[in-house]
Amino acid sequence: MYNHNLTEKEVLNCSFLVEGKVPELWNAETGEITKLVEYTTKNGRTNIAIPMNSQESVFVVFKVAKNKQTKVVYEQSNNLPKPSFTLDNENNLQAEVYANGNYTAKVNHAEDWTINVSDIPNPVEIKGNWEINFRAQDFYEATIKTDELFDWRTSKVEEIKHYSGTAIYTTTFNIEKEMLQSNRQFQLNLGEVSVIAKVLVNGKDVGVSWIAPHALNVTTALKEENTLEIQVTNQWTNRLIGDEKLPNQTEYDVRRSKKGFGSEDYRGKYKKMPIGIEIINHFRRTS
């Protein structure tokens, strides 16, 4: 399954010509397997509402049920974000909620499961001093320190404005000990990234992000005192735009008789690739 929407999250209502089997979602990007409990079967078909982020894709795999399978019907209330109900590795029912409030679900069309959540803390913004290293192998070596992240195209330094390659952002942040509870999941939200970012927390690789939302699970890497490294890589386009301003040293008469390939924004208007990172930590609780 693939959500072709380039900007918005969507819920895809899918119907599969399968009955009597248990659906799972396999995430090829992370390797995560999600055992579903929110689906219906009727007239030889299995119907599933699958929430997917923009440009996200998953495999839907059906397996033979070895035991009686748990099914959940969520009762929406109070405009709270919908929880995610799944089974863990021991096939215990679990719910992941994203905001404080009261949640009710019907389990196996009989049992009411009520969840009262009041201890999810507010998001923590990571801000302060950043060190940005531009690499010699990408034809510009420099280290700058800043307390405010910026779009490279706004830089007064031409080598940064037209830099193409990987720049390494590093900073530190703290998490209160009381927040690091075993029933919580922590997501690092990078905000806007152009084009791709690899993230390390305390030296541990927590993933690579190239499509929105740029959020990575950092639960297993977090401590009270943390070091954050983000390796941001953009496209060669940015260097080509800078080179286009240079004098023609080829002795050829370069003319553009055709539009050429790709977006006009990156061919003739000297538009720079947007670069910037905003970082907010989001907390989730599994009950």
Side-chain angles (χ1 to χ4, degrees):
M1 299 299 302
Y2 172 68
N3 178 13
H4 67 277
N5 193 313
L6 300 181
T7 58
E8 300 294 333
K9 180 177 181 178
E10 290 188 1
V11 176
L12 304 185
N13 294 305
C14 306
S15 183
F16 301 90
L17 195 58
V18 179
E19 189 174 24
K21 293 186 177 182
V22 182
E24 296 179 348
L25 300 183
W26 291 18
N27 189 315
E29 182 181 350
T30 64
E32 181 181 9
I33 296 177
T34 303
K35 300 179 181 180
L36 300 182
V37 293
E38 295 181 273
Y39 62 94
T40 61
T41 55
K42 185 178 181 181
N43 299 329
R45 305 190 73 93
T46 298
N47 304 304
I48 315 171
I50 306 176
M52 300 183 69
N53 295 312
S54 63
Q55 302 184 73
E56 183 180 12
S57 61
V58 294
F59 292 100
V60 183
V61 179
F62 290 89
K63 289 191 171 182
V64 176
K66 297 181 180 180
N67 303 303
K68 182 180 178 181
Q69 296 302 301
T70 301
K71 288 189 177 182
V72 172
V73 178
Y74 173 62
E75 300 176 6
Q76 184 71 44
S77 61
N78 300 327
N79 295 320
L80 292 170
K82 183 184 178 301
S84 299
F85 295 93
T86 57
L87 298 177
D88 63 16
N89 292 333
E90 284 73 41
N91 290 326
N92 297 312
L93 181 61
Q94 61 183 6
E96 190 172 87
V97 301
Y98 313 98
N100 291 319
N102 300 321
Y103 302 84
T104 301
K106 185 80 70 176
V107 180
N108 292 331
H109 305 290
E111 177 188 356
D112 285 330
W113 187 25
T114 301
I115 308 169
N116 300 311
V117 182
S118 60
D119 61 347
I120 296 179
N122 292 324
V124 176
E125 183 179 2
I126 299 175
K127 55 184 178 180
N129 295 323
W130 287 87
E131 182 175 283
I132 309 175
N133 286 286
F134 298 90
R135 309 186 311 173
Q137 58 262 50
D138 294 318
F139 306 104
Y140 178 65
E141 184 176 13
T143 298
I144 63 174
K145 295 184 179 181
T146 178
D147 57 2
E148 184 176 352
L149 298 174
F150 62 93
D151 189 324
W152 292 355
R153 61 184 172 181
T154 64
S155 176
K156 296 180 180 179
V157 179
E158 283 292 311
E159 290 83 359
I160 294 178
K161 182 182 294 186
H162 297 298
Y163 183 82
S164 176
T166 298
I168 302 172
Y169 292 70
T170 56
T171 191
T172 59
F173 66 96
N174 297 330
I175 296 291
E176 295 179 6
K177 184 177 181 180
E178 293 74 18
M179 288 188 180
L180 298 174
Q181 299 179 14
S182 60
N183 64 342
R184 285 191 177 138
Q185 298 286 310
F186 296 82
Q187 276 194 333
L188 179 67
N189 189 334
L190 299 178
E192 182 178 345
V193 175
S194 294
V195 173
I196 186 171
K198 178 179 180 179
V199 180
L200 294 90
V201 177
N202 298 319
K204 182 175 181 179
D205 186 347
V206 295
V208 176
S209 182
W210 67 89
I211 57 174
H214 297 283
L216 298 169
N217 191 312
V218 296
T219 305
T220 59
L222 278 185
K223 304 175 182 178
E224 291 181 58
E225 298 180 355
N226 302 276
T227 300
L228 175 64
E229 178 180 313
I230 305 174
Q231 302 173 10
V232 178
T233 304
N234 68 343
Q235 294 178 335
W236 190 30
T237 313
N238 206 42
R239 180 65 265 163
L240 294 177
I241 293 171
D243 289 348
E244 195 173 30
K245 296 180 180 180
L246 300 176
N248 181 6
Q249 298 176 341
T250 67
E251 298 183 0
Y252 289 96
D253 183 11
V254 180
R255 301 188 183 193
R256 290 185 175 180
S257 58
K258 297 181 180 180
K259 277 191 172 183
F261 177 79
S263 170
E264 188 177 281
D265 287 338
Y266 299 108
R267 285 187 282 107
K269 298 183 179 179
Y270 301 113
K271 182 176 179 181
K272 313 305 180 293
M273 299 299 294
I275 301 293
I277 305 173
E278 296 176 354
I279 302 175
I280 299 176
N281 223 4
H282 291 277
F283 301 88
R284 300 183 296 180
R285 174 177 177 174
T286 304
S287 300

